[in-house]
């Protein structure tokens, strides 16, 4: 079955960087864009950007430009989201999701990133 | 950036009742790129509706999406206990934004 499996929870200090992975299985990895969405504790969903796994093209939300980097490794069907200069308000659950026809139909289980000194 | 405003913030209804959730956009949204999601506590969001009115695979027909332009609606025709969740709309016309969510509570 189609699934996205994300890396495990991580704890970082302010100013550090984090990289979250998202491994796809059950379909052709390069067929669909990956989007990254985060959710701070008790808050709503916030879109961070997307990556086209076919060519590696990216589009980042303005809020994260300069801090976020999305990459992929087609040989292992894995997408990555890196976020630098972490602050306490980056503490959140980070999700990857596959986009099809205007909707995100498959989501990873989420990765909790905690930023704390 | 297109801002999506969802209302009401919380809806408390009994099983079998109809729930009407609103998603209003600050400018016109292409219906093709308007979607609705359901999120239960501790779970990832689940796609319910895309293209404003097309149910995703496996979604019961009590979930009905409608609307165009700046006004979109998700109707849950007959509430079931398992429909207790937060519901989000999103648009992908220009960039991508989510609404703030509507919490549906089942009495």
């Amino acid at each position: 079955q189609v699934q996205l499996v994300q890396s495990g929870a991580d704890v970082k200090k302010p100013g550090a960087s984090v990289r979250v992975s998202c491994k796809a299985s059950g379909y052709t990895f390069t067929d669909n864009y990956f989007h990254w969405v985060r959710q701070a504790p008790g808050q709503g969903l916030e879109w961070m950007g997307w990556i086209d796994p076919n060519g590696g093209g990216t589009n980042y939300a303005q809020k994260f430009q300069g801090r976020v980097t999305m990459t992929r490794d087609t040989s292992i069907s894995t997408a990555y989201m890196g976020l630098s200069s972490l602050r306490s308000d980056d503490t959140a659950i980070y999700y990857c999701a596959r986009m099809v026809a205007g909707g995100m139909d498959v989501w990873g289980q989420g990765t909790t990133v905690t930023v704390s000194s | 950036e297109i801002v999506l405003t969802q209302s009401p913030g919380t809806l408390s209804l009994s099983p079998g009742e109809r729930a009407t959730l609103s998603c209003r956009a600050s400018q016109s949204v292409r219906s093709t790129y308007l979607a609705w999601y359901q999120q239960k506590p501790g779970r990832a969001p689940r796609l319910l509706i895309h293209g404003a009115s097309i149910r995703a695979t496996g979604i019961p027909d009590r979930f009905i999406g409608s609307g165009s332009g700046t006004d979109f609606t998700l109707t849950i025709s007959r509430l079931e206990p398992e429909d207790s969740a937060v519901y989000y709309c999103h648009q992908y016309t220009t960039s991508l934004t989510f609404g703030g969510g509507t919490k549906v509570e089942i009495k």
Side-chain angles (χ1 to χ4, degrees):
Chain A
Q1 76 281 21
V2 176
Q3 61 177 350
L4 302 176
V5 178
Q6 298 184 221
S7 48
D10 210 341
V11 179
K12 295 291 185 184
K13 293 193 182 303
S17 299
V18 69
R19 191 175 80 157
V20 178
S21 67
C22 172
K23 183 171 177 59
S25 61
Y27 75 102
T28 302
F29 177 70
T30 52
D31 276 356
N32 304 96
Y33 286 23
F34 284 89
H35 289 244
W36 289 88
V37 176
R38 77 177 187 180
Q39 186 169 37
Q43 302 300 308
L45 303 172
E46 183 175 33
W47 178 71
M48 301 181 69
W50 57 250
I51 181 167
D52 174 3
N54 194 30
T58 56
N59 180 31
Y60 304 141
Q62 190 166 9
K63 174 176 178 176
F64 299 101
Q65 284 185 9
R67 284 208 303 145
V68 71
T69 303
M70 295 178 188
T71 59
R72 91 290 187 223
D73 185 337
T74 56
S75 68
I76 55 172
S77 300
T78 300
Y80 301 93
M81 187 284 299
L83 190 63
S84 62
S85 304
L86 290 169
R87 308 183 288 257
S88 58
D89 62 358
D90 290 317
T91 293
I93 299 173
Y94 289 77
Y95 293 103
C96 62
R98 183 180 80 161
M99 176 71 87
V100 296
M104 301 179 197
D105 71 329
V106 180
W107 292 67
Q109 82 277 20
T111 296
T112 299
V113 175
T114 304
V115 182
S116 174
S117 55
Chain B
E1 174 181 287
I2 296 178
V3 176
L4 299 178
T5 301
Q6 291 189 241
S7 62
T10 302
L11 208 46
S12 185
L13 296 167
S14 298
E17 289 193 300
R18 173 189 296 254
T20 303
L21 287 65
S22 171
C23 175
R24 200 158 272 180
S26 59
Q27 55 186 281
S28 187
V29 169
R30 289 182 62 186
S31 295
T32 306
Y33 297 123
L34 192 288
W36 291 91
Y37 298 84
Q38 175 193 67
Q39 188 180 33
K40 296 183 178 181
R43 305 290 298 275
R46 174 194 182 196
L47 178 65
L48 296 177
I49 301 284
H50 63 92
S53 61
I54 303 168
R55 273 185 295 276
T57 303
I59 302 303
D61 59 8
R62 65 178 183 274
F63 291 93
I64 302 162
S66 62
S68 63
T70 59
D71 286 306
F72 296 87
T73 300
L74 175 68
T75 301
I76 310 173
S77 59
R78 300 171 307 279
L79 279 167
E80 301 277 351
E82 63 264 30
D83 298 334
S84 179
V86 179
Y87 293 82
Y88 294 94
C89 57
H90 104 234
Q91 69 78 31
Y92 192 19
T93 297
T94 59
S95 189
L96 192 154
T97 51
F98 286 93
T102 291
K103 184 176 184 177
V104 174
E105 297 176 340
I106 309 299
K107 293 178 184 175

